[in-house]
Amino acid sequence: MKRIGVFTSGGDAPGMNAAIRAVVRQAYALGLEVIGIRRGYAGMILGEMVPLGVRDVANILQRGGTVLLTARSQEFLTEEGRAKAAEKLKAAGIEGLVAIGGDGTFRGAMRLLEEHKVPVVGVPGTIDNDLYGTDYTIGFDTAVNTALEAIDRIRDTAASHERVFFIEVMGRDSGFIALDVGLAGGAEVIAVPEEPVDPRAIAEGLLESLRRGKSSSIVVVAEGAYPGGAAGLLAAIREHVPVEARVTVLGHIQRGGSPTAKDRILASRLGAAAVEALAGGTSGVMVGEVEGEVELTPLKEAVERKKDINRSLLALSRILAL
């Protein structure tokens, strides 16, 4: 193997640039050329590719987003689209791929491997932290800290106005961000998709907090925890209790910003490990970090096996909210 490609796809995550940098510099150390593929699978189909040297990735470690850009591609979902992408890779002399992204990115990579025998190694880059085979995904720590800073500020206002705030964070199918942010931010209630959400029980809990002397409360809601997100949950609670509350949706602010030290280190480690795996003839796997060690997990298992939320932390959050 003499030349590999690297691309980012799906939602951007802080730390993706650190991973790109690590891929390029580890490849250089192993005597491999690197081609950067712009705009994910959409750019792959169009042949949007550029050579990347060690100087091309200087001073990107601290930047959020992705210098290779990202996009979603409907065409790649078709066999014809994937065939076009494979042809462009072959024409560019790319013999293997490092795919940085989440489950959608990895599903596409699996198709390229299965249908066109393109060797690929995945690097988990998503703020949702929902990929099996790694304790943390690149971008998760930054997203949590960004959301936590916002919640700390909102709590000041909640206390000043003696009011309840419902704060919606990202997590359509997983509650990892909500759990960590809620626990670190001292939320009275944390609603996640992994567990049933009972508006009546939450209403009674908020009333009990008032009886104990709490004049304000924070309710953290993962966007997929309840139909309509935080606003939908508040509306359902108001059917039981006429609570004075406000809703704040943090949204895409959680994706941006300079990555934390933890995300930079994780991205650097996993980006380098992906190149080593690819150069060593390994394909169809995701590199992850489990209990401090780099581990390889089949892509199929990484996207299809459910990564369970830490229920002991969820239980702890309820105790500490008393």
Side-chain angles (χ1 to χ4, degrees):
M1 185 173 291
K2 296 181 179 180
R3 180 178 293 174
I4 64 173
V6 59
F7 69 99
T8 52
S9 178
D12 63 306
M16 280 185 164
N17 285 327
I20 294 168
R21 173 180 178 269
V23 167
V24 172
R25 295 191 170 178
Q26 181 64 51
Y28 177 81
L30 296 176
L32 301 176
E33 297 178 15
V34 180
I35 302 296
I37 302 166
R38 292 163 56 84
R39 298 185 177 87
Y41 291 118
M44 194 180 295
I45 291 171
L46 296 174
E48 295 185 13
M49 304 179 188
V50 58
L52 292 178
V54 292
R55 296 278 64 82
D56 296 312
V57 293
N59 296 320
I60 68 170
L61 183 71
Q62 74 280 11
R63 292 171 57 183
T66 163
V67 295
L68 288 177
L69 308 179
T70 183
R72 303 188 189 279
S73 173
Q74 291 299 314
E75 187 176 3
F76 190 80
L77 298 178
T78 67
E79 290 186 11
E80 295 79 4
R82 293 190 293 273
K84 287 181 183 178
E87 289 173 6
K88 295 291 185 181
L89 294 174
K90 184 177 180 180
I94 294 174
E95 303 170 81
L97 287 174
V98 175
I100 305 171
D103 60 343
T105 301
F106 293 168
R107 291 180 191 279
M110 287 165 54
R111 290 293 186 89
L112 277 178
L113 174 60
E114 293 166 358
E115 297 172 4
H116 301 283
K117 312 305 178 187
V118 178
V120 61
V121 173
V123 175
T126 168
I127 68 170
D128 292 330
N129 197 36
D130 58 350
L131 292 170
Y132 181 84
T134 186
D135 290 338
Y136 298 103
T137 57
I138 296 165
F140 173 70
D141 187 66
T142 306
V144 167
N145 279 281
T146 298
L148 179 60
E149 182 179 357
I151 287 175
D152 286 345
R153 293 172 184 269
I154 290 170
R155 185 175 283 283
D156 291 342
T157 296
S160 297
H161 289 265
E162 298 183 303
R163 188 173 286 161
V164 178
F165 269 81
F166 283 67
I167 302 172
E168 182 178 304
V169 298
M170 283 188 167
R172 186 174 61 251
D173 301 308
S174 63
F176 290 96
I177 293 177
L179 174 56
D180 277 28
V181 167
L183 182 58
E188 280 66 30
V189 178
I190 302 173
V192 297
E194 289 86 349
E195 293 206 337
V197 176
D198 183 351
R200 181 186 291 276
I202 293 175
E204 291 173 353
L206 292 174
L207 284 176
E208 178 60 26
S209 292
L210 284 172
R211 284 192 288 269
R212 292 198 306 268
K214 278 193 174 183
S215 60
S216 65
S217 294
I218 296 291
V219 178
V220 174
V221 184
E223 60 183 313
Y226 196 83
L233 179 57
L234 175 57
I237 287 172
R238 279 177 169 160
E239 294 180 5
H240 305 287
V241 177
V243 61
E244 175 67 18
R246 296 290 184 271
V247 173
T248 299
V249 179
L250 297 187
H252 287 79
I253 190 175
Q254 296 160 87
R255 281 192 184 170
S258 181
T260 60
K262 184 174 181 178
D263 272 330
R264 297 183 198 192
I265 294 167
L266 179 65
S268 298
R269 191 178 193 194
L270 297 186
V275 175
E276 290 178 343
L278 203 54
T282 301
S283 179
V285 299
M286 179 196 79
V287 292
E289 187 178 83
V290 179
E291 296 183 353
E293 299 296 328
V294 172
E295 292 199 6
L296 305 181
T297 301
L299 285 173
K300 184 178 177 65
E301 189 174 351
V303 299
E304 293 184 357
R305 188 166 174 179
K306 180 68 174 176
K307 182 177 181 178
D308 199 14
I309 200 166
N310 191 327
R311 297 182 188 278
S312 63
L313 283 184
L314 197 57
L316 177 62
S317 71
R318 292 169 181 150
I319 295 171
L320 299 183
L322 293 175

